[in-house]
Amino acid sequence: MTASTYGQNFISFGVPVRFESRNARLFQKAIETADRALIGNLTPTRKRPEHIFTFGRDKERGIFVEHNGDLATCGEIERGVFKYFDSYLRVRIGEYCPNRVFIHSGVVALDGKALLIPGNSFSGKSTLVLELVRLGAEYFSDEFAILDEQGNVHPYARPINMRTDDGKYRPYTVDVGSSKTSHRAGLPVAAVLFTKYKESSRFRPKILSPAEGIMSVTPFTLPIRVNPAYSIRVLQQVMNNALIIRSKRTHAPRFAQILLQYLNDFL
Amino acid sequence: MSELQTPKARKRGLVVQEMPGEMLVYDTETNKAHCLNDSAAFVWTSCNGVNTVSDIVREFEAKAKGTVTQDFVWLAIDQLSSKGLLETKIEPRFKGKSRRDVLKSIGLASVAALPIIASLAAPQSALAATSCNCSRHSDCPQLGTPCLTNMCANTGMTPAFTCTA
């Protein structure tokens, strides 16, 4: 453990955290990274922290981040360390959030109701979310669905990085402002889509039962190990009231059109 | 296990959520989710440490679930035991038999839906499912590699991201 000169307590999504460091620059960088990672949900607090993150540099480890005294990450390259911390913090907040259930999922809103597309990174959910936004859906998130006790979903709208025509990934401009401000109470979930890309596949939706839906979303549910009872209760609220479908999908632009047509007809 | 023995459903370390026609059971010790269909759920809740297999068959039929054989209940008990949902593990009744043989032995006399338990494990670490995007090439943690994708994947338990370029 490092004796710290700089330290501050914050609260994010109900999780009290503390950042501390002997190095003013690393301390500042940590706060900036955290604020960006948590899309501004980082408020100073006097609450006793449950998670203490310590930032430092030594000869053995280079720049390091400790979480409650255990090494979270280290390395010589500062941006690599903070990049990892960015994701690490998001996931830990999602795991320990007391009154929300975080799911790895893309989310868009259609006519005041939400569509969830659970999936891990690199599963193509950002691509599909973006295509749906291009066709008129409202952007909520390409990373987390944040669910409350009533089963409503809240936005986690950060800028999307998308692969452009030249095959490189670049930030893609989406309207991340309106969803933050206009849906403070959250939106009910109308549909949940489990999908995997398969070239030339057809859209053949199989409707899942609520229990099958909960089972299928379990691998993407961040607090499932930390707080399984609460997670399952919230997931049940969602699945009981949503259309849950599974289908392979072809290229995102074509699939997005077919999906929207299907949802328009079905919902 | 003989027909006179009385299987007992495990309660400790489980989160149970009943739903219409199904039951979801999350095992906090193994971090596995199990989805029991109506037949499997009925057998599981009937395993109270007092009921024999014959008793469960009678209860099943009495609840108008249809006519079933003892093997039908054994099929459920085998699955419940292998998934760790019973207090004590029992010797599998249908060990080494193909699904076709099992269904044949249960016979057409059982008109109720066969007991089925689907299971899924939660990931070891929530971090394994995440990645992070660089907003510019210079964000890439791996210097000296011309990054083409601006994306990194977590390589698993190692506390580092690896450039996917």
Side-chain angles (χ1 to χ4, degrees), chain A residues 137-199:
Chain A
E138 187 182 345
Y139 176 62
F140 252 50
S141 176
D142 77 327
E143 177 151 20
F144 291 137
I146 302 179
L147 303 166
D148 65 23
E149 204 140 355
Q150 286 71 45
N152 291 334
V153 63
H154 297 259
Y156 186 91
R158 58 173 199 162
I160 297 183
N161 273 359
M162 282 309 308
R163 188 165 60 184
T164 50
D165 291 341
D166 60 3
K168 295 178 180 176
Y169 281 80
R170 298 207 173 88
Y172 189 90
T173 307
V174 286
D175 182 9
V176 297
S178 61
S179 58
K180 276 185 188 172
T181 50
S182 60
H183 299 299
R184 286 196 192 282
L187 284 184
V189 177
V192 182
L193 168 70
F194 296 95
T195 182
K196 272 187 181 171
Y197 174 77
K198 191 185 175 196
E199 199 173 343

Side-chain angles (χ1 to χ4, degrees), chain A residues 23 57 82 100 131 186:
Chain A
N23 181 313
R57 181 198 293 272
F82 277 100
R100 296 280 191 271
E131 289 302 334

Side-chain angles (χ1 to χ4, degrees), chain A residues 42-62:
Chain A
L42 193 69
T43 313
T45 183
R46 288 184 173 179
K47 231 178 158 180
R48 186 189 169 92
E50 291 169 9
H51 301 269
I52 299 174
F53 294 93
T54 310
F55 303 83
R57 181 198 293 272
D58 60 27
K59 280 184 182 170
E60 201 178 305
R61 297 177 289 182

